[in-house]
Amino acid sequence: MAAQVLIEAGVVSAADHALRDALAGRPLVSAERFCGSLRTAYAGPGPVEAARPVMAIGCYPAWTAAAPGSVLAAEERTGVRGPEQRRFWADALDGPARALLAGLARPPVISAWYATDQLRAWAGLGGTVAAIDGPLRARVEGKAAFTVLLTAAGVPQRMRIPAVRVDGALPALAELQRMVGSQRLVVQCGADSGGRGTTFVTTGADLERAARLPGPYKVAAFVVGWSSNTTVLSVPTGRGVAVYVDRPSHKAVGVAEAGIGPGKSAGNDWSRPWPARAATDLVDAAVRVGEFLWREHRVAGLFGLDAILTGDGAVMFNEINLRNQGTTEVSGVNQQLRGLPPFVVAHLTVLLGGRANWLPDADEFNAATIATARRSVPGPYYLKLRHRGHTPVRVGGLHGPGVYRFTSGRLAWARSGAHPADADADVGEVLLASLPDERVVCLPGAELGTAEALTTGYGSPFAGPHALSSFGRSVLNALSHQLEPATEPTTAR
């Protein structure tokens, strides 16, 4: 059985008061694809009510158990869910969002992945976007500059993947292979998310495809192992910055049977143990990077580090994400399992100039992270759910988002829920989050939501770095039984 999450009332109260003080009476508004973003903080154990947005603006509507104050969701207007809809929801809602936010009693604080001109326009005169600056995010996340960042931060060479930067045209395949000492290459460019801008290269045709993307390029050796994501929090102290490093995940990528393409994440599992040396190295490197970002750019709040855990127990870093991420929501359960509100509460507080005075000493926290990562202890996971077919469908015969049990290979409603800890995967439960309404038409490639739960490892959805477990496969198969043919509306873009 997965563990219960217990957070002392005094810690919750301190976090709630600190965020309220930082908001100073201004309404909190979430602007992310999922209108239930921040739900781990306000709809789970030890809820921090100050983190519940007064309004959420996004692509997919929240459900009752995860609801913020009010919702403006693009999907409720179009009735369509698909790849194009998830990319352009902000543009589709630009006018309505400006009008709604302008009608608030006070200028809002907008929580988002990173600040853009559009979000600043939504916030209006006197409003605030509580997020990392977009241009700074792009500079720091630039794939071609990552090795320079690790070097400047003092991350040891053994944790850096062999790579070269190419500013002009890409050289011939054999030359690149010689330069990085690997037959298989990873070519990356830009500062995009979700695996975009990444190409795996083993043939001349692969290289031609990579060369169609704009440079500069980072060309790196392909490293075999588990991909991983780690959430990191930097908090100013007056003398510098305290860096808190979360437990690293095991991330499955390129899982074809889940409809996930090469280089793209199928989800993360934080229940699997890490080797002691790799966990220690990862935490040390993350602290170095956090301290460097503070010295160089005065960056505070959340960021993420992606790495490869190799078969011989070494860790090698491959990417930085200077923003909230797709992992932010569920990774917050790791902090709750240790008796703290999710890092995102401190993130918002410090970005607004407040003090996250409920956090423990960073060195003690990080030592406990290493100890926890080494053991098989309960942790959360999420598995991305995609429409893998080639024709439009609707999700029918379910009760919407909530906790389900498996009965004879089918999904049976158990109870309402909005938090990964509401479901115990070890006994066959799963939280299906952000499912579409049964009237919504889902196009090929559409996000159908996420499967989430706590597990001690027995209920993990992944069997390997690129493979589902039997449990993960059963989740996808059971959901596929609920897909019914639909007709694509003529208004779908």
Side-chain angles (χ1 to χ4, degrees):
M1 295 286 288
Q4 289 188 328
V5 180
L6 300 173
I7 307 175
E8 291 184 4
V11 174
V12 174
S13 178
D16 189 81
H17 279 91
L19 180 53
R20 288 186 191 279
D21 287 347
L23 288 168
R26 296 170 292 178
L28 177 63
V29 174
S30 169
E32 295 188 24
R33 191 159 80 250
F34 297 92
C35 287
S37 294
L38 305 178
R39 63 185 161 87
T40 304
Y42 64 76
V48 178
E49 282 298 326
R52 187 187 299 270
V54 170
M55 180 186 300
I57 304 172
C59 187
Y60 312 134
W63 60 107
T64 301
S70 63
V71 164
L72 174 63
E75 185 169 282
E76 292 184 327
R77 295 173 169 235
T78 65
V80 179
R81 183 176 292 203
E84 293 298 299
Q85 284 72 28
R86 72 171 176 255
R87 294 190 187 109
F88 298 108
W89 64 266
D91 293 337
L93 293 178
D94 188 64
R98 292 183 190 224
L100 272 177
L101 293 173
L104 294 175
R106 296 190 62 182
V109 170
I110 297 180
S111 169
W113 277 29
Y114 52 89
T116 65
D117 289 341
Q118 182 180 51
L119 289 176
R120 282 187 281 267
W122 287 8
L125 186 65
T128 300
V129 181
I132 192 73
D133 179 65
L136 175 59
R137 188 270 323 174
R139 289 200 303 275
V140 173
E141 286 191 20
K143 307 293 194 297
F146 184 59
T147 300
V148 173
L149 183 150
L150 292 180
T151 303
V155 175
Q157 180 70 44
R158 69 177 186 279
M159 288 184 264
R160 297 183 234 153
I161 296 172
V164 295
R165 175 182 174 125
V166 178
D167 287 295
L170 288 167
L173 178 59
E175 176 65 9
L176 289 172
Q177 290 169 332
R178 183 194 64 77
M179 291 168 73
V180 301
S182 174
Q183 290 299 111
R184 190 175 188 193
L185 308 175
V186 183
V187 179
Q188 295 179 292
C189 64
D192 216 329
S193 60
R196 291 181 291 274
T198 296
T199 306
F200 297 99
V201 174
T202 55
T203 68
D206 296 335
L207 187 61
E208 288 179 10
R209 188 169 64 254
R212 297 189 194 112
L213 298 171
Y217 306 94
K218 170 189 165 188
V219 182
F222 178 83
V223 177
V224 177
W226 272 100
S227 293
S228 173
N229 179 273
T230 305
T231 302
V232 188
L233 171 70
S234 295
V235 177
T237 64
R239 299 181 304 277
V241 68
V243 182
Y244 296 82
V245 186
D246 187 38
R247 179 181 180 181
S249 74
H250 285 71
K251 175 166 65 176
V253 299
V255 183
E257 61 181 325
I260 306 297
K264 297 181 182 294
S265 167
N268 284 264
D269 174 15
W270 286 271
S271 70
R272 293 173 178 265
W274 268 57
R277 180 183 61 142
T280 301
D281 279 350
L282 181 141
V283 168
D284 175 73
V287 171
R288 290 172 184 260
V289 171
E291 291 174 344
F292 168 77
L293 292 173
W294 175 255
R295 289 194 308 269
E296 190 73 12
H297 303 292
R298 284 299 185 261
V299 166
L302 286 172
F303 69 92
L305 281 174
D306 287 356
I308 306 294
L309 175 61
T310 67
D312 60 356
V315 61
M316 305 185 80
F317 293 96
N318 62 332
E319 191 168 296
I320 185 170
N321 298 303
L322 193 64
R323 50 179 164 79
N324 293 15
Q325 306 167 89
T327 57
T328 300
E329 190 72 59
V330 178
S331 71
V333 181
N334 291 321
Q335 294 103 61
Q336 292 174 317
L337 286 165
R338 294 172 62 177
L340 296 171
F343 279 166
V344 71
V345 179
H347 168 76
L348 290 172
T349 301
V350 301
L351 288 183
L352 295 172
R355 295 181 60 236
N357 53 11
W358 65 90
L359 293 170
D361 176 80
D363 289 339
E364 293 178 1
F365 181 91
N366 293 337
T369 291
I370 295 169
T372 300
R374 294 170 55 186
R375 304 196 309 269
S376 293
V377 297
Y381 76 75
Y382 71 92
L383 168 65
K384 295 179 180 179
L385 307 174
R386 292 285 187 273
H387 172 31
R388 298 169 287 168
H390 302 290
T391 58
V393 297
R394 301 179 194 270
V395 179
L398 297 177
H399 286 70
V403 180
Y404 289 81
R405 279 182 174 272
F406 290 100
T407 303
S408 301
R410 304 300 286 259
L411 292 165
W413 173 260
R415 55 190 175 275
S416 64
H419 189 278
D422 290 334
D424 184 347
D426 293 354
V427 297
E429 293 180 345
V430 64
L431 170 70
L432 298 183
S434 303
L435 288 177
D437 184 274
E438 62 182 7
R439 294 165 293 185
V440 170
V441 175
C442 300
L443 306 180
E447 297 175 314
L448 301 181
T450 51
E452 305 171 3
L454 277 183
T455 181
T456 58
Y458 175 78
S460 171
F462 308 121
H466 312 288
L468 295 174
S469 67
S470 58
F471 182 78
R473 196 172 295 110
S474 69
V475 172
L476 297 187
N477 290 341
L479 184 60
S480 69
H481 290 310
Q482 309 300 143
L483 304 183
E484 304 169 352
T487 301
E488 181 178 347
T490 57
T491 55
R493 64 175 295 170

